[in-house]
């Protein structure tokens, strides 16, 4: 009786999964929050800014972020009366997040009569590396490195969601063998 190789789909799928688990190493559960969803809203009335709001929430299962890239942002801040260095560093981080969202985030505009809301959205990976270049008594100059991805356009969300679900299913399947 001649030896013949017959693979069904399940056998081939199992071999591919085992091979990828050996090549990529074990799949580990996250040891903390590694990504955050960002939204920066600027509300204006009759072309004058009335309110700004920066929202940052954990985004562990955010599937709408496609391409992360490393961004470097530089800036400077003047101290407010009675402000200490840790407070200035916190404001510097907020300024970095606002800058990267304005430059590279997904932009959407909502307008009604004289009211306009401009929103910028994206996902950031932590940690955000903030380096103080020069610190004087009343001013701080900084540079930051940040991994950022703008959100995809809404017409891509369905495809990205199905891709994300498939990836999760494969990871869950691999966890059965660990």
């Amino acid at each position: 009786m001649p030896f013949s190789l017959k693979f069904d789909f399940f056998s081939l799928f199992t071999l591919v999964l085992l091979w990828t688990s050996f090549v990529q190493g074990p799949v580990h559960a996250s040891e903390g929050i590694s990504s955050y969803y960002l939204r920066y809203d600027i509300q204006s009335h009759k072309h004058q800014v009335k309110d700004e709001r920066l929202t940052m929430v954990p985004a562990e299962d955010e599937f709408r972020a496609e391409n992360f890239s490393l961004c470097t942002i530089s800036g400077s801040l003047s101290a407010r009366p009675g402000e200490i260095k840790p407070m200035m560093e916190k404001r510097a981080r907020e300024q970095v997040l606002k800058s990267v969202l304005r430059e590279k985030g997904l932009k959407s505009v909502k307008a009604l009569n004289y009211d306009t809301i401009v929103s910028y959205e994206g996902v950031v990976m932590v940690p955000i590396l903030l380096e103080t270049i020069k610190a004087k008594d009343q001013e701080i100059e900084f540079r930051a490195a940040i991994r950022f991805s703008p959100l995809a356009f809404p017409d891509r969300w369905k495809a990205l969601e199905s891709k994300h679900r498939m990836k999760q299913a494969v990871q869950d399947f691999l966890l059965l063998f660990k």
Side-chain angles (χ1 to χ4, degrees):
M1 178 184 278
F3 180 76
S4 65
L5 293 175
K6 288 188 176 180
F7 284 111
D8 59 347
F9 179 75
F10 181 73
S11 301
L12 183 62
F13 185 69
T14 305
L15 286 175
V16 168
L17 287 178
L18 289 174
W19 181 76
T20 56
S21 67
F22 287 120
V23 171
Q24 294 178 351
V27 177
H28 297 289
S30 63
E31 295 181 10
I33 300 169
S34 62
S35 60
Y36 287 88
Y37 166 79
L38 296 172
R39 183 180 178 113
Y40 179 45
D41 296 322
I42 303 171
Q43 184 178 6
S44 62
H45 179 73
K46 293 187 180 179
H47 307 294
Q48 291 185 355
V49 175
K50 294 295 181 187
D51 189 26
E52 292 183 8
R53 188 180 0 219
L54 179 65
T55 306
M56 185 172 178
V57 294
E60 190 171 315
D61 287 329
E62 182 60 63
F63 60 88
R64 299 176 294 173
E66 283 191 282
N67 301 319
F68 282 91
S69 62
L70 185 64
C71 305
T72 55
I73 305 288
S74 299
S76 64
L77 288 173
S78 297
R80 294 178 178 158
E83 187 174 38
I84 58 176
K85 189 175 178 182
M87 292 170 62
M88 288 179 71
E89 288 177 353
K90 181 182 176 189
R91 280 197 314 130
R93 287 185 195 279
E94 288 178 7
Q95 185 175 340
V96 165
L97 294 175
K98 289 176 182 180
S99 296
V100 76
L101 281 167
R102 278 193 306 264
E103 291 175 14
K104 299 186 183 232
L106 178 65
K107 182 179 182 179
S108 61
V109 179
K110 297 174 189 159
L112 180 65
N113 298 333
Y114 296 109
D115 295 327
T116 305
I117 299 174
V118 180
S119 299
Y120 303 92
E121 296 177 287
V123 177
V124 66
M125 302 285 281
V126 291
I128 299 169
L129 305 174
L130 184 68
E131 174 187 10
T132 303
I133 299 170
K134 198 185 314 180
K136 299 177 186 174
D137 291 337
Q138 298 297 318
E139 191 171 314
I140 183 174
E141 290 184 22
F142 60 89
R143 180 177 35 221
I146 184 171
R147 290 193 59 210
F148 179 78
S149 173
L151 291 187
F153 285 106
D155 62 344
R156 297 258 312 127
W157 290 356
K158 287 275 189 198
L160 290 173
E161 183 180 20
S162 60
K163 181 180 174 183
H164 176 72
R165 285 187 185 188
M166 187 67 120
K167 182 179 173 184
Q168 284 297 114
V170 169
Q171 287 178 348
D172 291 344
F173 183 73
L174 288 175
L175 285 175
L176 291 174
F177 296 108
K178 302 293 177 193

